[in-house]
Amino acid sequence: MFSYYFKLGVRSLRRNPALTALMVLTLAIGVAASVSTLTILHMMSGDPIPEKSERLFVPHVDNGPVEGWSPSDGPNDDQLGYIDAANLLKSGQGERRTAMYGVFQPIEPPRADMPAFTASGLAPTRDFFTMFKVPFLHGQAWTEGDDTRGADVVVLGRAVAEKLFGEANPVGRQIRIGGFPYTVVGVLDAWNPLPRYYRLIGGSRFGNPEEFFIPFSTALRHEMGHNGSMNCSANRDPGFANLLASECTWLQFWFETRSAGDRAELQSWLDNYASEQRKLGRLKRNAPNKLYNVMEWMEHMKVVGNDSKLSAWLAFGFLILCLVNTVGLLLAKFSVRASEIGVRRALGASRRDVFKQFLIETGVVGLVGGVLGLALSFGALALIGMQSKGMAAVARMDWQMLMLTFIMSVTAAILAGLLPTWRACQVTPAIQLKSQ
């Protein structure tokens, strides 16, 4: 019986084609708007590195001034000062450790026909690439020895490598960054999760991928300034030498432990470290020391802000508006079929049979609307990806979103069809037959 009613539903699409097209298009637009917004929200709030997010931790030691501060105020900044970062790097805690900060430097291409240009970069330690599972197209990360001596080596992002050297493997070639010659040791492959790491490493939520990576110690040796804002209690505009000696908070730090269960041990060590630093007079505030894993850090940094959540609610509101319009269209569609319903009832069809038939017909409308909504969703996400390079890797559907598209469309159509279907079942056969 279901297959029979399904065939009737498909045939009904050809009746009143203009009305059917309006219903399908209304549902498709509402579903596409909701699913596109939910896809971006889902990708932005999802775990960017699920296989090890429970083992990656950001430590926080509050080194702000005590004057005018109370424990309820919280920290001035979520990043570390250089002294604490250097101590944590030497601590040996965890399986891996990395300190990093953003830089912005001019790059002088090796080609005479190309002018110099400025690029954004990141200055981490070597462990960064392993910790965040960064893929390489050519070469590899620099060595521990390069980290130790602050060697002039660089890992290029794929886009800037192709800009400078075309499709050729540039490993071993030299470029000038900030006036100093650097040897290329590696080129990154496409790194899809990168946009969701920006806020994790202190960058912009929708910024472009980092164009080059140099050793942390090399950036310090060349006195490369921080690419972004700083919060310095001693001097609001410090020179680089003062910056290293001061309590300015300007570095991002990450630990990787062998297992999630090592968190308690790392927390205990961090508490002991902070206690020792207070005895030395460096840390003034008696504030709790915190460890954030990846998901906790994303929540703390508000990677998915209130504006994104508001967009999701607005998209749902638009879907509800489309549903209301669909209800009106279905009422118009079924009202003109009163005579058909009267004949069916007179021939013995029950109200339940009529209800079942029309509900399946609305489901067919929802299924067709889902297919069209899916096409519109792909188009909207592709447009977002083209307009914003930083969103290119985010604006893509996964299987959950694909299933959600059809579930939302069919459910929306059935919900919209409940009232018109119930109204159709109330037709009195005798009156309809007499009027015909």
Side-chain angles (χ1 to χ4, degrees):
M1 188 62 74
F2 176 83
S3 61
Y4 172 70
Y5 287 148
F6 185 82
K7 291 176 182 177
L8 286 181
V10 173
R11 289 179 184 176
S12 73
L13 293 177
R14 286 177 281 183
R15 300 179 184 178
N16 299 320
L19 198 59
T20 300
L22 278 175
M23 284 191 296
V24 170
L25 187 60
T26 300
L27 275 176
I29 292 174
V31 170
S34 300
V35 170
S36 299
T37 306
L38 287 174
T39 299
I40 295 174
L41 187 62
H42 170 70
M43 294 298 292
M44 288 298 298
S45 60
D47 192 341
I49 186 166
E51 61 274 19
K52 61 186 340 186
S53 62
E54 293 294 320
R55 298 190 288 117
L56 294 173
F57 297 99
V58 176
H60 184 261
V61 177
D62 196 346
N63 61 6
V66 73
E67 294 80 11
W69 174 83
S70 65
S72 61
D73 293 339
N76 286 24
D77 201 288
D78 292 307
Q79 298 177 318
L80 288 179
Y82 170 77
I83 296 174
D84 290 319
N87 289 339
L88 267 55
L89 278 175
K90 298 173 184 176
S91 67
Q93 293 298 308
E95 189 174 21
R96 296 182 181 89
R97 298 157 298 283
T98 186
M100 67 191 83
Y101 74 101
V103 295
F104 196 67
Q105 293 289 310
I107 294 180
E108 301 174 40
R111 296 160 43 185
D113 61 332
M114 182 181 294
F117 59 93
T118 54
S120 60
L122 192 67
T125 57
R126 182 179 186 272
D127 279 348
F128 168 84
F129 299 98
T130 304
M131 289 172 70
F132 291 99
K133 302 188 68 175
V134 182
F136 278 81
L137 179 65
H138 300 297
Q140 59 187 0
W142 52 80
T143 65
E144 291 184 10
D146 293 332
D147 260 337
T148 301
R149 66 178 182 272
D152 290 337
V153 291
V154 62
V155 170
L156 298 177
R158 183 169 184 171
V160 74
E162 291 177 352
K163 180 178 181 178
L164 293 171
F165 301 100
E167 298 294 332
N169 182 352
V171 173
R173 303 281 295 275
Q174 281 199 339
I175 60 173
R176 297 183 69 85
I177 302 177
F180 297 95
Y182 284 78
T183 301
V184 179
V185 296
V187 176
L188 299 190
D189 202 350
W191 191 17
N192 288 337
L194 186 59
R196 280 172 288 167
Y197 286 136
Y198 292 139
R199 289 296 295 272
L200 301 186
I201 60 177
S204 169
R205 192 185 344 173
F206 297 126
N208 291 323
E210 310 299 346
E211 296 172 287
F212 67 91
F213 299 77
I214 60 174
F216 176 71
S217 53
T218 303
L220 297 180
R221 183 169 62 83
H222 289 310
E223 301 187 359
M224 290 186 182
H226 184 279
N227 178 20
S229 61
M230 304 180 210
N231 182 10
C232 181
S233 58
N235 187 343
R236 288 292 174 185
D237 186 22
F240 192 85
N242 292 332
L243 189 64
L244 299 184
S246 74
E247 296 303 329
C248 294
T249 51
W250 61 296
L251 300 174
Q252 184 67 257
F253 196 96
W254 286 84
F255 281 111
E256 180 182 346
T257 59
R258 289 181 175 82
S259 69
D262 293 338
R263 178 173 186 163
E265 181 181 345
L266 182 58
Q267 180 69 62
S268 176
W269 180 89
L270 189 65
D271 291 339
N272 291 334
Y273 167 78
S275 179
E276 291 176 359
Q277 296 302 307
R278 289 190 189 98
K279 292 177 183 177
L280 295 174
R282 279 197 55 251
L283 302 183
K284 305 294 192 299
R285 298 178 179 179
N286 190 20
N289 311 296
K290 297 180 180 179
L291 285 176
Y292 300 91
N293 63 27
V294 170
M295 295 305 292
E296 292 167 349
W297 186 243
M298 288 178 68
E299 179 67 25
H300 179 71
M301 294 295 290
K302 294 181 173 54
V303 171
V304 182
N306 292 330
D307 53 344
S308 298
K309 295 177 182 178
L310 178 61
S311 298
W313 282 110
L314 289 175
F316 270 121
F318 185 70
L319 177 60
I320 291 173
L321 180 61
C322 291
L323 284 180
V324 172
N325 290 330
T326 305
V327 170
L329 293 170
L330 283 170
L331 281 170
K333 181 180 176 67
F334 290 161
S335 64
V336 299
R337 297 174 64 184
S339 58
E340 172 195 336
I341 298 168
V343 172
R344 284 209 64 206
R345 292 291 311 281
L347 293 175
S350 65
R351 288 181 176 177
R352 182 177 180 179
D353 292 332
V354 173
F355 187 86
K356 193 184 301 181
Q357 173 192 343
F358 279 23
L359 207 59
I360 291 174
E361 285 189 22
T362 61
V364 172
V365 171
L367 191 61
V368 176
V371 174
L372 182 56
L374 182 62
L376 292 176
S377 298
F378 275 119
L381 294 173
L383 183 62
I384 292 172
M386 288 189 296
Q387 294 296 321
S388 176
K389 294 181 180 178
M391 290 294 292
V394 178
R396 52 189 173 85
M397 280 190 173
D398 57 15
W399 285 107
Q400 293 177 337
M401 291 294 109
L402 289 172
M403 291 300 297
L404 183 63
T405 302
F406 290 102
I407 292 172
M408 284 181 66
S409 181
V410 174
T411 303
I414 290 174
L415 290 175
L418 286 176
L419 176 61
T421 300
W422 179 82
R423 287 280 300 274
C425 292
Q426 306 310 307
V427 171
T428 303
I431 295 177
Q432 282 299 323
L433 291 174
K434 183 178 180 180
S435 65
Q436 295 301 315

